[in-house]
Amino acid sequence: MFAVPLGDDGAELRPLEIWQAQEFLDHMDRARDLVDPWIPFASFATDLESARDLLRRYAEKQAADTGRLYGIWLNGTLVGGVLFRMFDTESGNCEVGCWLEPAAQGHGLVSRAATRLIDWAVLERGMHRVEWDASAANTRSIAVAERLGMTRDGVLRQNYLYRGVRHDSEIWSVPAPEWRARQG
C-alpha cells in the first residue's frame, strides 16, 4: 500500500480498499450529517455489508479503469476522501468528487487531495478535461472548485432528484492545458 503526504500536518492520501470497510463505516457515521444533504454517498454505507459493497464497487471501477476511491487520513484517522466518480480514458474526461467529516474542515485537505488527483489524471494519465459537479447550494464544494482554478461551465437546472427534492448542479472544469499552465 502507498501513502502520499498532503503536507507537513500529518495528512495523507491513500487508496480505500475493501478490507478497510469498518474504518470507512466508522468515518461515514461521523461524516454522514455533513455529506448526506448533498450526495447519496453516505447513504450507500450504512452498515458493514453496504460499506463493503461500496468499496467493492470502486475496486471494480479501478480494475476497469473507470473510477477510483481514495481516503484522506489526518494523523492516522480517516477523515474524508476524494474519488474519480467517472474516469473515461477514451474521451479523456473524468470527474473528481470529495467528502469530509466536520472535524476535518478548514485545513485545505480536500483541495490538497483533489490537486493530487488532478495532477495524476492530467500529467500521468493524459486526461484532457477534469470536471467537478456540485449541488448549486453546496457552497463549500463550489469554493473548492474555485480554489482548484476551475471554471464554472454552467448550471444544470433541476438536474437530479435527491431525497424527494430537485437540485440544480453546477458543473466546473479545467482542461489539461490550463491545469498544466497553472502548475508551472
Side-chain angles (χ1 to χ4, degrees):
M1 179 152 106
F2 71 87
V4 176
L6 293 175
D8 58 4
D9 59 356
E12 294 180 325
L13 184 66
R14 303 181 205 160
L16 260 170
E17 300 177 358
I18 297 168
W19 64 270
Q20 296 165 306
Q22 186 61 59
E23 183 179 18
F24 178 66
L25 177 61
D26 294 344
H27 158 63
M28 275 292 110
D29 288 342
R30 295 188 304 270
R32 195 170 318 283
D33 289 343
L34 184 63
V35 173
D36 200 49
W38 310 115
I39 57 173
F41 198 74
S43 65
F44 294 154
T46 56
D47 57 30
L48 191 55
E49 183 178 339
S50 60
R52 275 192 193 108
D53 287 344
L54 187 138
L55 295 175
R56 185 175 297 108
R57 281 195 303 274
Y58 271 91
E60 290 167 358
K61 280 184 157 206
Q62 182 166 336
D65 202 23
T66 60
R68 293 172 185 265
L69 182 63
Y70 299 94
I72 300 170
W73 277 262
L74 184 59
N75 298 317
T77 301
L78 179 61
V79 296
V82 288
L83 69 145
F84 288 112
R85 194 187 71 74
M86 181 271 299
F87 197 84
D88 183 347
T89 57
E90 188 173 320
S91 71
N93 296 330
C94 61
E95 180 188 334
V96 174
C98 68
W99 75 93
L100 203 60
E101 64 184 60
Q105 289 182 321
H107 301 284
L109 296 172
V110 166
S111 296
R112 289 185 270 162
T115 296
R116 293 292 182 134
L117 260 64
I118 298 169
D119 277 347
W120 180 81
V122 170
L123 304 176
E124 298 292 323
R125 293 302 308 277
M127 299 302 273
H128 179 75
R129 176 184 165 86
V130 179
E131 293 183 0
W132 190 273
D133 184 342
S135 167
N138 190 344
T139 57
R140 285 185 176 273
S141 184
I142 291 167
V144 172
E146 290 173 332
R147 281 193 299 277
L148 291 170
M150 293 183 159
T151 299
R152 181 175 169 231
D153 293 336
V155 175
L156 301 175
R157 297 177 323 145
Q158 299 182 18
N159 182 47
Y160 67 98
L161 181 65
Y162 182 58
R163 302 224 182 258
V165 176
R166 285 264 164 212
H167 295 266
D168 294 350
S169 293
E170 288 198 15
I171 307 300
W172 292 72
S173 71
V174 61
E178 288 178 17
W179 184 259
R180 282 190 210 98
R182 275 199 289 274
Q183 300 310 93

